[in-house]
Amino acid sequence: MYTATKGSSSFNKDILRLAVPIVLQNIVTTAVNSADVIMLGFVGQDALSAGSLANQVMFILNLVYTGISSGVIMLAAQYWGKKDTKTIEHIMGIGMQLSIFISSMFFIMAFFFPHVLMRIFTNNVNLITAGIPYLRTVSFSYLFMSFSQVYLCAMRSIERVHFSTVTNAVALILNIIFNAVFIFGLFGAPKLGILGVALATVIARGIEFTICVIDNFIPKAIHFHIKNVLEVNKILFFDFMKYSLPAFGNEIVWGVAFSMYSVIMGHLDSDIVAANAVVVVARNLGTVACFGIADAGAIILGKSIGSGNTDTIKSDSSHFVKITSMSAVVGGIVIFLLRPVFFTMADLTPTAQSYLSIMLFINMYYIVGQAFNTAMICGVFRSGGDSKWGFFCDIIDMWCYSVPLGFISAFVLKLPPTWVYFLICTDEFVKIPFVYKHYKSYKWLKNITRDF
């Protein structure tokens, strides 16, 4: 079990112990996304673009899961430091309540009104037609994920990162296999094209759900109990809402704004959409290590605060941010070195290839700012229960700066698509001075546990 950090050497060991499995999980996730792009690229550029746009619904839902998971980790990590496992079970139950309800709403929209969702992201009839069956099929995976994502998050918060990583990796690797089977019609299966990607996702997430249910009956520190979903601990529910709602809102504010970037590009032309589908894979690969380190840091710092060992938090948090930023620089170098590989991931038009070349260079720098801000807002600040500051910061940065700038540059100034993309990608660097100032104030450092 984790002990309080004593110097950078001990902190590095704790980061390494938790970060490596999370990074491996992120790598597998990125590999699956890459496989989707490569396989859909063989189907055609319209299938690639339609799948990319339809997947924005899953992107937003994943942000919901991230927001709920942030609330779970903020509270559970500190209670784990306090060794209060019963309270952690109640926290997981509250997370399940929210996750199941919201996932059900997404399922209803995607299954019964997929055309409405597709029209939000594009007005291209071909892309809408291709995206509708994909959304209707993949909607069933939302129901499976409503349980598994919160369950796996709770396991990470008590440092069962290896189980979480293996479970997610199994599901994602199966996703790749089923993608190949249903897209290309292997082993006598029908060739389903873009529909095959959706079906593969549903099967893989169903298996992930089954593994989590089986694991829940194995003896361990915490378990999921249905009564924790049906019963309400008013004090703990209030705490969960107090700390998780701003984190949830932060993810939604950031995620919907990020989806608005896709809306802007989706109304420019299909070439920039196709190029962006590949760039997303490159960016995910570049940030795979730094985001894994950020997740591990949030758990370690939160647990240290909850256990009352706050003496080294300031030095540990500073060391943690440096490690995360350095990993982002390495990620930028990886993107540069793998540029030739990204151009072979899909059969793009010459125009889309020229867009992709410029967008890859932009992301080499972009991920450094993104990693720094993520480490601060989602790692350091939330470990001390401070989720409000990031929420208001992203409201101002995304909705008062980058989204309006994107619309103005695209539809008023009518700038070239790559210039629109470049201006949008300045969002992370605008907020860095404000994020750093809040970090140095140490107003985020609080013990948010109670005695139950």
Side-chain angles (χ1 to χ4, degrees), residues 115-148:
H115 56 287
V116 175
L117 295 179
M118 284 301 299
R119 287 186 182 278
I120 294 174
F121 297 104
T122 184
N123 54 5
N124 186 306
V125 176
N126 291 333
L127 299 186
I128 292 173
T129 302
I132 285 175
Y134 174 91
L135 268 179
R136 185 165 279 145
T137 302
V138 83
S139 63
F140 289 95
S141 69
Y142 306 162
L143 302 178
F144 292 128
M145 293 174 70
S146 66
F147 176 86
S148 62

Side-chain angles (χ1 to χ4, degrees), residues 368-398:
V368 176
Q370 187 180 27
F372 177 84
N373 290 325
T374 300
M376 287 290 195
I377 295 174
C378 300
V380 175
F381 299 168
R382 290 184 186 177
S383 71
D386 184 356
S387 54
K388 290 182 180 179
W389 193 89
F391 175 48
F392 291 114
C393 175
D394 277 338
I395 287 178
I396 296 171
D397 180 57
M398 304 293 278

Side-chain angles (χ1 to χ4, degrees), residues 58 60-70 99 103 141-147 149-150 248:
M58 179 69 83
I60 295 173
L61 185 56
N62 276 328
L63 290 171
V64 172
Y65 296 140
T66 303
I68 294 173
S69 297
S70 296
S99 178
S103 297
S141 69
Y142 306 162
L143 302 178
F144 292 128
M145 293 174 70
S146 66
F147 176 86
Q149 295 304 296
V150 176
F248 174 75

Side-chain angles (χ1 to χ4, degrees), residues 181-193 196 199:
V181 169
F182 293 125
I183 290 176
F184 303 117
L186 304 180
F187 309 114
K191 287 186 177 182
L192 300 177
L199 184 58

Side-chain angles (χ1 to χ4, degrees), residues 1-257:
M1 185 175 287
Y2 167 79
T3 55
T5 55
K6 296 180 180 179
S8 60
S9 177
S10 177
F11 185 78
N12 288 344
K13 291 179 181 178
D14 290 320
I15 282 285
L16 190 65
R17 178 171 57 84
L18 292 183
V20 169
I22 297 175
V23 169
L24 290 175
Q25 179 178 330
N26 291 346
I27 289 174
V28 173
T29 302
T30 302
V32 172
N33 292 336
S34 302
D36 285 352
V37 171
I38 293 171
M39 293 177 187
L40 283 175
F42 280 111
V43 177
Q45 183 166 305
D46 278 353
L48 174 62
S49 298
S52 174
L53 292 174
N55 236 5
Q56 291 301 309
V57 178
M58 179 69 83
F59 173 71
I60 295 173
L61 185 56
N62 276 328
L63 290 171
V64 172
Y65 296 140
T66 303
I68 294 173
S69 297
S70 296
V72 171
I73 288 177
M74 266 192 293
L75 287 164
Q78 289 205 14
Y79 278 105
W80 182 239
K82 203 173 182 177
K83 300 180 181 179
D84 186 348
T85 56
K86 290 298 180 183
T87 299
I88 295 175
E89 290 180 345
H90 282 288
I91 292 168
M92 180 165 56
I94 294 170
M96 290 289 184
Q97 290 175 357
L98 296 172
S99 178
I100 293 171
F101 174 74
I102 296 174
S103 297
S104 298
M105 296 299 101
F106 271 75
F107 166 76
I108 291 171
M109 284 297 299
F111 185 80
F112 294 103
F113 310 104
H115 56 287
V116 175
L117 295 179
M118 284 301 299
R119 287 186 182 278
I120 294 174
F121 297 104
T122 184
N123 54 5
N124 186 306
V125 176
N126 291 333
L127 299 186
I128 292 173
T129 302
I132 285 175
Y134 174 91
L135 268 179
R136 185 165 279 145
T137 302
V138 83
S139 63
F140 289 95
S141 69
Y142 306 162
L143 302 178
F144 292 128
M145 293 174 70
S146 66
F147 176 86
S148 62
Q149 295 304 296
V150 176
Y151 184 85
L152 293 174
C153 162
M155 295 302 107
R156 284 197 300 271
S157 70
I158 63 169
E159 300 176 87
R160 288 191 71 209
V161 290
H162 291 90
F163 167 75
S164 176
T165 297
V166 171
T167 301
N168 199 248
V170 167
L172 294 173
I173 291 171
L174 287 174
N175 197 3
I176 291 179
I177 295 172
F178 287 125
N179 273 348
V181 169
F182 293 125
I183 290 176
F184 303 117
L186 304 180
F187 309 114
K191 287 186 177 182
L192 300 177
I194 188 174
L195 187 61
V197 176
L199 184 58
T201 300
V202 173
I203 296 173
R205 292 301 183 181
I207 293 173
E208 180 182 64
F209 167 81
T210 303
I211 293 173
C212 291
V213 171
I214 294 173
D215 179 75
N216 192 54
F217 292 99
I218 298 174
K220 54 185 174 295
I222 68 170
H223 294 268
F224 167 73
H225 302 285
I226 295 178
K227 67 177 183 179
N228 289 333
V229 174
L230 302 178
E231 295 177 357
V232 177
N233 181 323
K234 292 184 178 180
I235 296 176
L236 193 58
F237 186 80
F238 175 79
D239 281 350
F240 190 94
M241 291 296 122
K242 178 181 178 181
Y243 297 111
S244 70
L245 279 181
F248 174 75
N250 192 176
E251 298 297 337
I252 296 299
V253 162
W254 182 87
V256 174

